[in-house]
Amino acid sequence: MLDIETREYDVVVVGAGGAGLRAAIEASGRGSRVAVLTKSLLGKAHTVMAEGGIAASFGNLDPYDGWETHFYDTMKSGHFINNYRMVELYTKEAPERVLELESWGAVFDRTEDGKIMQRPFGAHSFRRLAHVGDRTGKELIRTLQQKVVTQNVDIFAEVTTTRIFLDRQGRVAGLFAYHRDDGHFVLFKTRAIILATGGWGRMYKPTSNSWECTGDGAAMAFRVGAELQDMEMVQFHPTGMVWPPGVRGILVTEGVRGEGGLLYNAEGERFMLRYDPEKKELSSRDVVARSIYREVKAGRGTPHGGAWLDITHKGPEYIKRKLPGMYEQFKKLADVDITKERFEVAPTVHYTMGGLRVHPELAATNVPGLYAAGETACGLHGANRLGGNSLGDLLVFGRRAGMAAHEYVQNLASLPEVDEAEVRDEMRRVLRPFEVEGGENPYLIHEALQTIMSTYAGIERSGPELEKGLAELEELKARAERMSVDGPLHFNPGWHTVFEVQSMLLLAEAIFRGALERKESRGAHWRTDYPEELPEYGRVNFVQTYEDGRYHIRPEPVPEMPPELARLFEAGVAPGVLRARQAQNGREETK
Amino acid sequence: MAETVTLWVYRGDQHGGEEKPYEVPLMPGMVVLDAVHWIQAHLAPDLAVRWNCKAAHCGSCSAEVNGRPRLLCKTRLDEFVKEGVPVHVRPMKTFPIIKDLVTDVSWNYRVMRQIPPFQPREPAPFTLYQRDVDRVQEFRRCIECFLCQDVCHVLREHHEQEHYFGPRFMARLAELEMHPMDAGDRVGFIRETAGVGWCNITHCCAEVCPEAIEITNNAIIPLKERVADRYWDPIRGLFRRFQKTAP
Ligand SMILES: Cc1cc2nc3c(=O)[nH]c(=O)nc-3n(C[C@H](O)[C@H](O)[C@H](O)COP(=O)(O)OP(=O)(O)OC[C@H]3O[C@@H](n4cnc5c(N)ncnc54)[C@H](O)[C@@H]3O)c2cc1C
Ligand code: SF4
Ligand code: SF4
Ligand code: FES
């Protein structure tokens, strides 16, 4: 018998961001016994930081919007390597999921006629993002949190998972975790696991991500045989804060541009008119980020290496009402009054489009009983995520994962067994950093990793640079074998960092391997040695597996759209935009 | 040599502890949390601190800087350097310490579970106007940093956690009570279980709130009025109840 805390559930959800909470609500609502595990306190997950809004095609302001147009925008911005079926489900279901939030107590900003307000955002054809000022993520997570505490769900806050256990038949059987407060271990025996652990933006610097975004879930799953896809696709948000140094990377919501903010280079030129004359500042993120990067490289950057963002022309009252958080953030942290002054912005790592390859309807990975939803999963966003499409993703696929995991548990013939020897191994592994003497400092290994990733696998990539980065990563991995920590088991952040660094190192290599394999430029992936987008690469996703310490990569065909969906692209403009134009013309003719 | 600043950081746990000095290189615009991170990376890897967003969105990094409850990620160091005063960083006093700057705030989560949830009067989509939701949105700005709970003397000095939910949850209750689409009735609960009567309107909570929520004026006083109406002035109470349920 093992002498550690042991718990038993039908479904264990790892992660209490939007995806995890939505999944837990669904699975427990259907009758599964559910636990939610989170590295931080309830309501603090990375999701809380989301600002701009949730994309859902209500058409409250623009009646020609609809799911087909949202579908069109999402596929197009993803450069057509998205899983079309996920995009279809997502764009059809998002409005329902947002209304569900309203009925659970969320209070969105309103239109004049009393409906949910929608704001414009980069590369969305219409005003589409339901929002609450610039704190939409908080509204979403608070609403789900307030819902989940009324259901019969056990919440394990500040509990970190380090390993997934499978039974002899390769099915999910359990999880190993420890309590951060006092360091004691827990074994969760469970029939199904839903990973909702978010992305891995902390691998880079600057980054807009919270400390939690270290890819633990994807890494744990990869180690037990789950497949990763599109790992080369890392989103740089065009506008992070630049100055002072302490705030570098903190997000400046796209809402600033959505509400009318304009970008200028050091010479006072509105350069987006040159890079994308049609969508200008509201072009997709990959395009705007690259444009700022190019301006800086060409010597037209601001004093601290960015571009100017200016919204002063909207007037103080409007700015304070629509962007209160931004106003506060700049005033407090940078001594800048954005109602009076322009400010510096530069690209910051923001989102990881790649992740666990899942079944589009069931959110199931290739490992029986293992599900994934939210940023840690892959398929919806393709080569570039549209703003507002993540929060919707969490709701739509969180719910679907909860449903599917519940179904799976119902149909499970026998209870999977955890092998005790594996649990003992994991206990030893987790304690090892205390035994290594005078080893490497995990914080400094993390910093070194951030430098490697930002230098060699950043916004601009090339074959030779990627090779160099990969070689440096291998050296760092060797050093990281000897990470060591001192002090007690209880609330010891140095020790906690060890596992996060291990997760990031594992996934970092997959990013390099994916980036080397994709010999073209597409969406967020820009290779100077292959600057063109190539049709043959538009037909594949790169899928990676991990066996005995080795990475295997293979191309998988992108699922082909059925004719009724493919037809949406024939006109070369979004269906809703076309309808709006026709209506406009009709009106003009009758005049 | 770069300019440095000395931070006195509390190190200890439930068995006791003391403030220890750490010298940290100063960077422009640095916040206390940056300094704590620098200490972790270079001097004391096991120094415990909570944080998530470093942008004043999540409410994790609550502590006391020179005796005042604050968010570490929103407290600039130059504030103190300019004045030439030493910087003392300690955990919130109202909650039991876990280690260093981290306290056990689980009581708040137990309170949260007791609050009767939103009960929609009709299925969404709702027709609601901005002016009807402004007040509710003010309360929903809360980042659950629990700094107001930390400062409230009913909890901090008198330890009335058994009887009073504290300002954070008064704001939450007010948000539900003032939601135009909510059909619940929590007045009895607010009086009996949540203990609104314990608050004696000192306004300290509103003063420390990083989201500038007018907790006392906009939440607690109106809740007290509802309770008073119901229990001491039944006719006005009925009238209010009627107003609330009328479409
Ligand atoms: C500043 C900012 C603004 C944004 N704005 C928008 C926006 O306006 N619209 C939009 O659509 N998207 C936005 N995004 C993106 C979006 O917020 C995220 O992609 C999304 O919130 C991710 O949610 P998630 O549920 O997948 O995971 P997260 O919210 O990242 O949650 C992950 C959870 O997993 C837990 N976890 C991780 N590892 C472990 C482990 N080992 N053990 C136990 N628990 C673990 C964490 O504790 C956490 O609870 C924004 C992102 C940022 C950074
Ligand atoms: S006003 Fe009331 S709730 Fe606020 S600190 Fe004073 S006693 Fe506590
Ligand atoms: S009301 Fe203000 S001080 Fe209290 S928890 Fe919320 S944000 Fe913090
Ligand atoms: S770290 Fe999120 S509020 Fe300070």
Side-chain angles (χ1 to χ4, degrees), chain B residues 51-95:
Chain B
W51 71 287
N52 265 50
C53 67
K54 213 179 103 59
H57 292 320
C58 74
S60 304
C61 63
S62 310
E64 297 185 9
V65 185
N66 292 0
R68 196 178 143 77
R70 305 189 65 166
L71 295 178
L72 298 181
C73 70
K74 212 183 166 190
T75 305
R76 295 264 297 256
L77 271 171
D78 40 13
E79 216 178 281
F80 307 98
V81 175
K82 234 182 328 195
E83 310 252 304
V85 294
V87 188
H88 299 271
V89 193
R90 299 180 70 96
M92 288 192 282
K93 177 164 171 268
T94 301
F95 305 108

Side-chain angles (χ1 to χ4, degrees), chain B residues 139 141-149 167-168 171 205 208-213 215:
Chain B
F139 303 134
R141 289 209 306 260
C142 173
I143 57 174
E144 297 192 333
C145 63
F146 307 129
L147 289 173
C148 56
Q149 307 285 77
R168 155 59 190 137
C205 49
V208 300
C209 177
E211 286 289 323
I213 300 170
I215 309 169

Side-chain angles (χ1 to χ4, degrees), chain A residues 90-157:
Chain A
Y90 164 67
T91 52
K92 284 180 173 167
E93 293 175 11
E96 227 174 294
R97 298 282 78 74
V98 173
L99 288 181
E100 185 173 76
L101 289 184
E102 183 164 86
S103 69
W104 292 345
V107 183
F108 292 98
D109 286 357
R110 316 304 298 182
T111 62
E112 300 232 318
D113 53 352
K115 295 183 182 151
I116 292 177
M117 183 69 162
Q118 300 190 270
R119 71 160 40 116
F121 234 56
H124 285 282
S125 296
F126 294 109
R127 287 172 286 181
R128 190 176 280 150
L129 270 67
H131 63 276
V132 187
D134 49 12
R135 56 166 189 80
T136 314
K138 182 160 70 187
E139 192 66 19
L140 182 144
I141 203 165
R142 202 66 80 234
T143 304
L144 295 177
Q145 165 191 347
Q146 286 161 350
K147 172 80 180 162
V148 85
V149 298
T150 66
Q151 290 189 198
N152 187 20
V153 173
D154 290 342
I155 296 183
F156 293 83

Side-chain angles (χ1 to χ4, degrees), chain A residues 42 44 102 107 109-110 114 138-139 142-143 145 158 210-211 246 332-333 335 441 443 491 493-494, chain B residues 28 41 45 47 50-52 54 57-59 76 99 109 112-113 126 128 130 137 140-144:
Chain A
L42 183 59
K44 311 285 183 206
E102 183 164 86
V107 183
D109 286 357
R110 316 304 298 182
K138 182 160 70 187
E139 192 66 19
R142 202 66 80 234
T143 304
Q145 165 191 347
E158 300 195 317
S210 99
W211 68 267
K332 205 60 212 176
L333 300 176
D335 302 316
N441 173 338
Y443 294 103
F491 222 114
Chain B
L47 168 58
R50 266 198 196 104
W51 71 287
N52 265 50
K54 213 179 103 59
H57 292 320
C58 74
R76 295 264 297 256
K99 189 167 152 244
Y109 291 90
M112 198 179 289
R113 276 189 184 264
F126 302 150
L128 281 175
Q130 190 58 44
Q137 286 189 333
R140 290 187 72 82
R141 289 209 306 260
C142 173
I143 57 174
E144 297 192 333

Side-chain angles (χ1 to χ4, degrees), chain B residues 148-155 164 166-168 170 196 198-208 215-217 220 224:
Chain B
C148 56
Q149 307 285 77
D150 182 41
V151 83
C152 175
H153 69 106
V154 181
L155 308 173
Y164 183 44
R168 155 59 190 137
M170 292 302 120
V196 71
W198 283 90
C199 163
N200 58 344
I201 320 193
T202 59
H203 294 278
C204 314
C205 49
E207 273 166 32
V208 300
I215 309 169
T216 333
N217 289 339
I220 300 181
K224 279 177 178 283

Side-chain angles (χ1 to χ4, degrees), chain A residues 36 56 113 121 165 187 248 283 305 508 520:
Chain A
V36 174
D113 53 352
F121 234 56
F165 299 117
L187 170 64
R248 189 156 197 134
S283 184
E520 64 156 353

